[in-house]
Amino acid sequence: MLDGYGREIDYLRVSVTDRCNLRCRYCMPATGVKQKSHEEILRLEEIVSLLEVAVGLGFKRVRFTGGEPLVRKNFSYLVARTASLPGIEDLALTTNGTLLAEQAAELRRAGLKRVNISLDTLDGEKFARLTRGGNLERVKEGVAAALRYKLEPVKLNVVITRGFNEDEIEAFAALTRQEPVHVRFIELMPLGQATELNGFLPATEVLARLEQSVPLEPAAVPGNGPARYYRLAGGKGTIGFIAAISQCFCARCNRLRLTADGKLRPCLESEHEVDVRGPLRAGATREELAALFRAAVAAKPARHRLGRRTPRQDARAMWQIGG
Ligand code: SAM
Ligand code: SF4
């Protein structure tokens, strides 16, 4: 489907839950997270019905995210149902990796193709501090399981923040020498607990710092996103940069989001949403639901305004939207 700016929108990011077993400081508040009731969250069958509509409209690529998707009961059932939809070419997952070791085999069997694992530090103590209690070893086991079960390309998402993990840029890059992992440095966005952008470090600066210590060659990695990739000479993996703020890539945007509570979200940043849960539960036909998808695609703005305006304190955060 083409949007109002001639962009082909064929990639749906589906948030399957607003719950999470971690509390990353830039994402979730320590306390007082008001989660939706079970009734407000889409049931798995409802997500499948909406995916059927999306596939009928030409969506070919799906990513499950959250919250933490792997805390959702029967998640592999959703993966299996989605994988069996005709026309799905790519089926991916974004996860914090803590529950991946025990689920990777089942997810692979269900038809999941690949995973992105979020990991911002390689230091166990810093990891526990950032995530308010998370265990880095569990994530490492998750990464190993992703490689073992060939959920590839395995991408590691690293949000770089000044004063927290900027000293680990080289260590993350070094991971790509021996392992076929694709490390992606991501700019902190003014969402959730990061509304003030304290600690923002532009991706260009991360790249410049890395280039000072090691030579990098351009590389290519399959995916649906805007990362620019490089490789260490002889490295098995790659190093990518995602500059959502400093070099907005909205002109190439190809995605629509479905939140866990059943809203289509045309843009990560804009608060505009199209409700599909209400109509679905009220018995809307497939054609009526398709019209809502078309309306959401038509409502996509030319570009986000992150970094150009004061973020609203009441705006929905990544764990609510589906990062
Ligand atoms: N829980 C899963 C995870 O952590 O991968 C999936 C959901 S999480 C919201 C998806 C991604 O959003 C993570 O990589 C996380 O680091 C990123 N994220 C959350 N808040 C962010 C922010 N303010 N700026 C940049 N990335 C953010
Ligand atoms: Fe949970 Fe992911 Fe947000 Fe961390 S970034 S709190 S793991 S949803």
Side-chain angles (χ1 to χ4, degrees):
M1 235 187 315
L2 287 185
D3 75 357
Y5 299 91
R7 297 172 296 199
E8 177 78 40
I9 311 300
D10 63 0
Y11 176 27
L12 190 64
R13 291 173 76 108
V14 180
S15 173
V16 298
T17 180
D18 63 349
R19 286 158 205 260
C20 188
N21 56 348
L22 298 182
R23 289 284 177 276
C24 300
R25 286 176 188 275
Y26 55 74
C27 183
M28 279 206 182
T31 53
V33 176
K34 193 175 171 311
Q35 274 148 345
K36 302 272 173 187
S37 67
H38 282 295
E39 194 45 39
E40 290 172 284
I41 298 297
L42 289 177
R43 293 186 282 273
L44 297 183
E45 287 301 337
E46 291 176 326
I47 297 177
V48 174
S49 299
L50 292 169
L51 282 166
E52 284 170 352
V53 173
V55 166
L57 286 166
F59 280 82
K60 296 197 278 279
R61 311 181 259 191
V62 172
R63 171 176 299 278
F64 292 117
T65 180
E68 174 48 40
L70 299 188
V71 303
R72 176 98 195 225
K73 233 169 124 192
N74 298 329
F75 174 62
S76 65
Y77 167 80
L78 177 62
V79 171
R81 290 292 304 276
T82 309
S84 71
L85 294 176
I88 293 289
E89 291 174 6
D90 190 17
L91 188 50
L93 165 72
T94 298
T95 173
N96 64 32
T98 53
L99 301 172
L100 190 56
E102 51 262 45
Q103 296 188 34
E106 190 180 342
L107 291 172
R108 176 79 226 190
R109 269 198 304 278
L112 185 70
K113 287 195 175 9
R114 60 196 184 92
V115 290
N116 287 12
I117 300 170
S118 305
L119 177 59
D120 298 339
T121 173
L122 299 169
D123 176 308
E125 188 272 322
K126 274 164 82 175
F127 184 81
R129 201 156 21 102
L130 173 73
T131 59
R132 299 191 179 97
N135 181 349
L136 176 64
E137 292 311 309
R138 303 294 308 275
V139 185
K140 287 186 176 167
E141 288 160 19
V143 175
L147 291 169
R148 191 160 58 248
Y149 291 101
K150 304 239 169 291
L151 292 167
E152 292 168 335
V154 175
K155 297 181 181 173
L156 297 186
N157 288 352
V158 186
V159 175
I160 285 285
T161 37
R162 218 182 270 283
F164 175 69
N165 56 0
E166 58 182 319
D167 56 337
E168 297 189 61
I169 295 168
E170 283 85 2
F172 271 109
L175 289 180
T176 68
R177 265 191 221 288
Q178 303 297 343
E179 299 284 355
V181 292
H182 304 279
V183 167
R184 291 126 48 89
F185 294 114
I186 296 175
E187 289 180 348
L188 183 67
M189 290 187 259
L191 294 165
Q193 300 304 294
T195 46
E196 296 307 326
L197 268 190
N198 288 331
F200 176 75
L201 191 61
T204 43
E205 198 175 318
V206 180
L207 172 61
R209 286 196 200 181
L210 202 52
E211 277 177 324
Q212 276 172 8
S213 56
V214 280
L216 297 173
E217 306 164 351
V221 180
N224 305 316
R228 281 176 300 124
Y229 288 101
Y230 299 83
R231 188 187 294 282
L232 301 177
K236 289 191 177 157
T238 63
I239 304 158
F241 297 85
I242 303 183
I245 306 293
S246 65
Q247 293 172 329
C248 137
F249 36 75
C250 301
R252 288 179 285 135
C253 187
N254 54 2
R255 62 197 60 183
L256 192 65
R257 287 181 162 82
L258 174 64
T259 65
D261 57 345
K263 318 274 185 232
L264 290 173
R265 181 128 174 158
C267 174
L268 176 67
E269 172 259 339
S270 160
E271 288 301 298
H272 177 68
E273 294 177 345
V274 176
D275 178 40
V276 281
R277 185 191 68 200
L280 179 66
R281 291 187 181 169
T285 62
R286 224 175 238 214
E287 193 35 55
E288 285 164 342
L289 293 169
L292 295 172
F293 272 80
R294 284 194 199 94
V297 167
K300 280 182 71 64
R303 58 159 296 160
H304 69 65
R305 294 161 299 165
L306 291 167
R308 288 202 299 174
R309 60 170 192 140
T310 312
R312 281 171 44 179
Q313 295 296 326
D314 61 344
R316 299 228 270 177
M318 285 290 222
W319 60 274
Q320 294 164 308
I321 303 164

